[in-house]
Amino acid sequence: MKSVKIRKSPRRNRRVFGRLLLLIIAAIFLVFAGRFAYIAVTGHIAGVNLTKRSQKKYKADAVIHAQRGTIYDSLGNVLAQDINAYSVYAVLSHDYVGPNKKPLYVTDKKKTAKVLSHYLPLSAAKIYQQLTPANRAAYQVEFGGAGQNLSLSIKRKIEKEHLTGIYFNESPTRLYPNGTFASHVIGIAQAPKGKESNNQGLVGVMGIEKYFNKQLAGQDGYRNFARDSYGYAINQKQSKVKTAKNGQDVYLTLDSRLQSYLESLLTDVNKKYQPKSMNAVLMNAKTGEILAASQRPTFNASTKKGIDSIWRDTLVEDGYEPGSVLKIATLAAAIDSGHYNPNQYYQSGSIEVGDKKISDWQTSGWGMIPLSQAFARSSNVGMVKLEQTMGPKVWQEYIRKFGFLKPTGIKLPGETAGTLQYDRPLDQATTSFGQGINVNVMQMLQMTSAIANNGTMIKPQILSGINQDHQLKPIKAGKPIKTSTAKSVLQNMEDVVYQDYGTGQVYQIPGYRVAAKTGTAQITDPNGGYLTGTSNYIFSVAGIAPADNPQYILYVTLKQPQNMTDSAENILAQIFNPMMKRALEYTKKAEKDPQQQVKVTSVISESTTSAQKKLTSLGLQTALVGSGNLVVQQLPKAGSIILPNQRVILMTNGAMTMPDVTGWSKNDLLKLAQLTGIEIEIKGSGYAYHQSLAANGLLDGVKNIKVQLK
C-alpha cells in the first residue's frame, strides 16, 4: 500500500504564525499598558514614590550655615571668631561635562599647574605631577595640606584665572588670633567627625566654646531650589529660603593686657623649671571677674600645637589637696566660732593624733610659741590645735560655708565639686592644713574672696555677658564669717609677708601692701601614702593686694618642678610679684585718669570722612585699609567695649592698600591680619617701627607681611 503525502500550505502557515505573533504583541502591550496605567494612577513602582524620586532628582536643599558668634575679652578684643576656609581640588574625569558636552574637567594641565603654583606653596612641576596621577581613572585629585585652609582672598584670585576643572570646598573654621592665650578657658570649636557631620557647622568641644555652644552656634538655614539634569539651579524665583540665625556673641571678663602678660610669665617659668603642671588666676576681689587665667601644659589654639598634651581645663576639672593655703579657712573658722586665743602657747614640732604623728614642715619646730604665730609660720601642729578646739562638727560646717564640696558655678564645663575624707580623728586633723580634702582652683579663689570683702564671699565669674547685654554684677556666695574675722585673718596674711618669721617674705612688692598665704601640699602616691622627695609637692601661694583696700586676688600653683634649681617660693614669686604689680599699676593709672570705657559705634556703609569723624569724637584712633570712600568692614565690631585711644581699623570699598602701622600694638596688627586675611609675621615686642610692605602699597597678591616691634 502506498503512503500518501500531505502537503502543507505555506500561506496558511504564515497566516497562523502572524495571528499568534499578533496575539503575543497584544498581550505584551496590554501588560505594559496596565503597568503604565498603574504607575500613572498610583505614582509608585516597586515601592518607590516616583513623584518624590523625581523631586529629589530635580530639587536640592542647600544648607545656609549660621555664622558662629564671636568671643570677646572685656575690652572688645576678639578672642575667637568664625572665618571660612577653602580647599581646592581638580576634576580630571572626561565624563564631567556640562550642556553641549562642555568640558568641566581640567583641559590644560600645564597651564593649570603654572597658575596654581602662584597661589599654593607647591611648584608647577609638583602640581602637574598631581594632575597626572598614575591611576588614569581617577575622577579628581586634591593637593594635600598645600591646597587646604585657603583664605577667601586666595580663592577669589584663583577663580579670576578661570581655570577649567578647578573647584573649591568651603568649610567653616575658627580663628584664634592670640595663639596660646587662656586656651583651655576659651576652648576650641571644630567640625564634628564622621559621616553624619556633612553640612554641619562647628561644635565647641572645650571651654567657653563648649559651655556656650548653643548660644554661639545659632541656627542654620536652608535654600530649597530646582535644578536641571546637569545639576544647575533653575527657577530661582521659586526657591524656598529659610534665613540662618547667626550665633550670639560672648563677652568674657578676661583682660587681654593682663592675660598676655600672665602667659609670658608662665611660659618663662615653665621652660626654666619644667613643672608637671601650673595654674594661675588673677581675680578682681570686689566683683569676682577673672581677669587672667591659664595653665601649663597648654596649647596654641590657632595651630593646635600641644593640644594632645592635656585636654582638661585644670582650673575647674582637676581636684587636688590644696595644702597650707587652706589654713586661711581654718584660722577664719576658729576665730569666727570663738575658738581662737592668739596668746595661748603650744609646743610646736609634732603632735600625736591617734596612733599617727603629725609634724610641722620644720620638724624640730620652734619651741613653745603662741597661736598668733602659727599661721604666719605655717605650723601644721598649730592648725591641728585649732581644729581640735573647734571640734570636727564646727570645722566641717565652716568647710561647707566656704563653698567647698560643691561647684562654684563658674561658666566653664566640667567643674568638679571636690571630696572630703572625714571619718577618723586623723582625717579631721589633716584637713586643717589642707590634706584629705580635694578642691578646685575656683573654690580657693572664692574662699579667699571672703577675706578680701569683709566676710562676704564672691563667686568667680568668667562671663561678662551675651551680645550687648554685658553689665556684670558681683554674685554673693554667702557670708561665712563676720567682718571682724575677715580683718583679723587679713592681718595674719600680712604677717606671712612682713614678719621675720613669715613664710612669704619673698612676695613683698615695693610700693604696695600684700597679704598672702603659702602652701606646700603633699601628692598622693598611687601605691598608698604620699610621694617623697624635695620636688614632689604642689607648691602654691594665694595673695590679696593692696591689703588696706583689696582689689585683686592672685592664686598660683606649681606641681612637681623637674628642674628645681630655686626654692619653691622664689619660683612662684617670678609669677606672683610681676603679675600682681602689673595689675596694681593698671589700677593706679585708672585712678589718675578716670576716663570711662568706650562703646564702639557702627560706621559700616558710611563715608570714610564721616566714619573717622564719628570715631574720633568718641576718643578713638582710626586707620584705613583701602583707597575707597565707603566703609565696608570695621574692627573692633560695633558694640564692642574698649578703652579710649584704642585703634579702630576700617576697610573701604577700594583696592586694599597697606596702612602705615608705625606705633601700632600687636593687637592692632592682629586686627589687620584678621580683616585682610593676610598673614602678618610679628617679631619683637613693644610697638611697630618697620614694615616689609610700604604704606599705601597694594595688598592684592601679597601673602605675607613682616612687622618689627620695639
Side-chain angles (χ1 to χ4, degrees), residues 171-174 189-194 197 200-205:
S171 60
T173 189
R174 200 70 165 155
Q190 59 189 22
K193 297 180 180 179
S197 66
Q200 289 190 23
L202 301 175
V203 176
V205 296

Side-chain angles (χ1 to χ4, degrees), residues 196-321:
E196 72 281 358
S197 66
N198 291 338
N199 277 334
Q200 289 190 23
L202 301 175
V203 176
V205 296
M206 182 191 296
I208 291 293
E209 292 275 29
K210 180 178 180 179
Y211 194 94
F212 291 101
N213 184 67
K214 183 178 180 181
Q215 292 86 344
L216 287 163
Q219 294 180 345
D220 287 343
Y222 69 86
R223 182 168 67 91
N224 179 267
F225 60 93
R227 62 185 180 185
D228 62 18
S229 58
Y230 292 100
Y232 293 103
I234 57 175
N235 273 334
Q236 295 294 324
K237 292 182 179 180
Q238 297 181 12
S239 297
K240 295 180 181 179
V241 178
K242 179 184 177 183
T243 306
K245 184 179 180 180
N246 291 334
Q248 297 174 292
D249 295 333
V250 171
Y251 288 81
L252 304 184
T253 60
L254 296 176
D255 183 317
S256 287
R257 302 166 302 174
L258 295 170
Q259 182 68 42
S260 295
Y261 191 51
L262 179 61
E263 297 289 358
S264 176
L265 295 171
L266 288 176
T267 296
D268 290 345
V269 169
N270 193 57
K271 287 180 179 179
K272 189 174 181 181
Y273 301 103
Q274 300 169 24
K276 288 194 175 181
S277 67
M278 278 193 297
N279 290 318
V281 183
L282 177 70
M283 186 175 88
N284 183 309
K286 302 295 185 186
T287 64
E289 293 170 278
I290 302 299
L291 304 173
S294 194
Q295 68 180 66
R296 293 295 182 273
T298 188
F299 65 96
N300 185 311
S302 180
T303 65
K304 305 301 185 290
K305 183 178 180 181
I307 195 169
D308 293 331
S309 59
I310 185 168
W311 272 80
R312 298 188 319 280
D313 180 355
T314 57
L315 301 178
V316 292
E317 294 185 63
D318 277 15
Y320 62 96
E321 294 186 359

Side-chain angles (χ1 to χ4, degrees), residues 562-603:
Q562 302 301 292
N563 186 29
M564 197 168 178
T565 54
D566 285 314
S567 68
E569 291 77 17
N570 282 321
I571 296 174
L572 290 169
Q574 293 176 47
I575 300 169
F576 182 93
N577 293 26
M579 188 71 239
M580 184 66 90
K581 184 178 180 182
R582 179 67 61 92
L584 292 166
E585 286 175 345
Y586 280 154
T587 300
K588 183 182 287 186
K589 183 178 180 181
E591 288 171 350
K592 290 182 178 179
D593 184 18
Q595 288 180 290
Q596 299 298 311
Q597 293 180 334
V598 178
K599 184 176 182 180
V600 179
T601 187
S602 175
V603 293

Side-chain angles (χ1 to χ4, degrees), residues 294-424:
S294 194
Q295 68 180 66
R296 293 295 182 273
T298 188
F299 65 96
N300 185 311
S302 180
T303 65
K304 305 301 185 290
K305 183 178 180 181
I307 195 169
D308 293 331
S309 59
I310 185 168
W311 272 80
R312 298 188 319 280
D313 180 355
T314 57
L315 301 178
V316 292
E317 294 185 63
D318 277 15
Y320 62 96
E321 294 186 359
S324 294
V325 174
L326 195 74
K327 292 173 182 175
I328 294 173
T330 309
L331 178 62
I335 295 172
D336 202 68
S337 63
H339 294 94
Y340 177 66
N341 180 358
N343 299 316
Q344 178 185 342
Y345 277 73
Y346 72 97
Q347 179 63 49
S348 62
S350 65
I351 186 173
E352 297 286 338
V353 179
D355 58 350
K356 297 290 184 180
K357 183 172 76 170
I358 294 176
S359 300
D360 283 323
W361 62 269
Q362 183 169 303
T363 55
S364 60
W366 304 274
M368 290 291 291
I369 59 173
L371 279 173
S372 61
Q373 294 184 13
F375 184 83
R377 292 185 186 274
S378 199
S379 168
N380 292 343
V381 176
M383 295 302 112
V384 171
K385 290 284 187 182
L386 293 181
E387 183 274 325
Q388 291 177 337
T389 305
M390 283 187 286
K393 185 177 179 180
V394 172
W395 171 221
Q396 188 176 26
E397 286 177 359
Y398 276 93
I399 288 174
R400 296 187 181 279
K401 282 183 179 181
F402 275 114
F404 296 113
L405 309 181
K406 65 179 181 180
T408 64
I410 192 169
K411 308 295 187 184
L412 289 170
E415 185 183 7
T416 181
T419 59
L420 178 66
Q421 187 176 324
Y422 208 72
D423 297 330
R424 303 172 299 161

Side-chain angles (χ1 to χ4, degrees), residues 472-547:
L472 181 142
K473 295 180 180 179
I475 302 174
K476 295 180 181 180
K479 191 176 174 64
I481 54 176
K482 297 185 285 289
T483 298
S484 59
T485 300
K487 289 181 177 180
S488 180
V489 175
L490 190 62
Q491 180 58 60
N492 274 269
M493 291 177 70
E494 287 187 67
D495 290 346
V496 171
V497 180
Y498 296 103
Q499 291 293 346
D500 57 7
Y501 52 80
T503 59
Q505 297 175 56
V506 70
Y507 300 114
Q508 295 179 24
I509 300 175
Y512 301 97
R513 190 77 177 175
V514 177
K517 182 67 192 83
T518 59
T520 304
Q522 290 181 287
I523 300 172
T524 304
D525 189 332
N527 299 318
Y530 290 94
L531 297 175
T532 59
T534 56
S535 66
N536 281 328
Y537 295 92
I538 297 177
F539 303 104
S540 59
V541 59
I544 299 171

Side-chain angles (χ1 to χ4, degrees), residues 24 75 77 115 137 300 328 347 370 409 497 506 622 668:
I24 293 171
L75 304 175
N77 295 309
V115 172
N300 185 311
I328 294 173
Q347 179 63 49
V497 180
V506 70
T622 61
D668 290 335

